[in-house]
Amino acid sequence: MKKVKIYVTLRESVLDPQGSAVMGSLHKMGYSQVEDVRIGKYLELMIADEEKNVDALVNEMCRRLLTNTVIEDYRFEIEEAVSQ
Amino acid sequence: MKKVKIYVTLRESVLDPQGSAVMGSLHKMGYSQVEDVRIGKYLELMIADEEKNVDALVNEMCRRLLTNTVIEDYRFEIEEAVSQ
């Protein structure tokens, strides 16, 4: 089994109201050292071992469903999952 | 400036309805190789250089605002941010 970790972030040029709200809260709590907050998604997928081309598969799923490539960037890592 | 990357995931024992919904969609689209999907948050914080103990600061912010430690786990990495 493969474990795929996908990081989805808003593109640099896209406003992040959720991040701004969190930064505002942190400032109100006294954390003025925080100069920027950006919020994205983190996905963990488990992929069956039969799949030979995990890299191509993940790219396809990201483009078709998991991300909005107009406003989001993504990157991912593939690991061998240790059975529990 | 320090860049802090925070990964927030639901604890293993907590149900993830959003992940289940995404997995259902992937299966309907024919991606039957996907055996599990878990969805978390990914945050990027920029911290001013004056801050000396970034590690303790981030732990405190995570516990007080950024995560719900009853149902979520978090881990983070601290990087030296390259000025752009």
Side-chain angles (χ1 to χ4, degrees), chain A residues 1 7 9 22 31 33-38 40 42-48 51 57 60 64 75, chain B residues 1 7 9 31 33-38 40 42-48 51 57 60 64 66 75:
Chain A
M1 195 117 81
Y7 310 95
T9 48
V22 168
Y31 299 111
Q33 312 96 318
V34 179
E35 301 195 350
D36 192 30
V37 178
R38 305 278 291 177
Y42 169 66
L43 294 92
E44 284 183 356
L45 270 63
M46 302 300 282
I47 311 275
E51 180 60 39
L57 176 75
E60 193 182 296
R64 290 187 63 195
R75 63 192 165 82
Chain B
M1 196 119 79
Y7 310 94
T9 47
Y31 299 112
Q33 313 95 316
V34 179
E35 301 194 350
D36 193 29
V37 179
R38 304 280 289 179
Y42 170 65
L43 294 91
E44 284 182 356
L45 270 64
M46 302 299 283
I47 312 275
E51 179 59 37
L57 176 76
E60 193 182 297
R64 288 187 64 196
L66 304 177
R75 63 191 165 84

Side-chain angles (χ1 to χ4, degrees), chain B residues 3-4 7 10 14 17 19 24-25 28-29 32 37-38 40 43-44 49-50 52-53 55 57-58 61 68 70 76 78:
Chain B
K3 184 179 203 169
V4 181
Y7 310 94
L10 281 173
V14 177
S25 297
K28 275 186 206 145
M29 292 167 80
S32 55
V37 179
R38 304 280 289 179
L43 294 91
E44 284 182 356
D49 272 329
E50 303 92 83
K52 292 301 167 224
N53 196 342
D55 201 87
L57 176 76
V58 174
M61 292 191 299
N68 175 352
V70 177
F76 60 87
I78 302 169

Side-chain angles (χ1 to χ4, degrees), chain A residues 3-66:
Chain A
K3 183 180 201 167
V4 182
K5 298 177 173 180
I6 307 175
Y7 310 95
V8 183
T9 48
L10 281 173
R11 281 174 186 260
E12 212 57 58
S13 57
V14 177
L15 285 177
D16 179 0
Q18 196 189 355
S20 303
V22 168
M23 187 165 69
S25 297
L26 288 171
H27 285 176
K28 275 185 207 147
M29 292 167 78
Y31 299 111
S32 56
Q33 312 96 318
V34 179
E35 301 195 350
D36 192 30
V37 178
R38 305 278 291 177
I39 298 184
K41 278 181 295 181
Y42 169 66
L43 294 92
E44 284 183 356
L45 270 63
M46 302 300 282
I47 311 275
D49 271 329
E50 303 89 85
E51 180 60 39
K52 294 299 168 224
N53 197 341
V54 176
D55 200 87
L57 176 75
V58 173
N59 267 311
E60 193 182 296
M61 291 191 299
C62 280
R63 282 200 219 98
R64 290 187 63 195
L65 180 76
L66 304 177

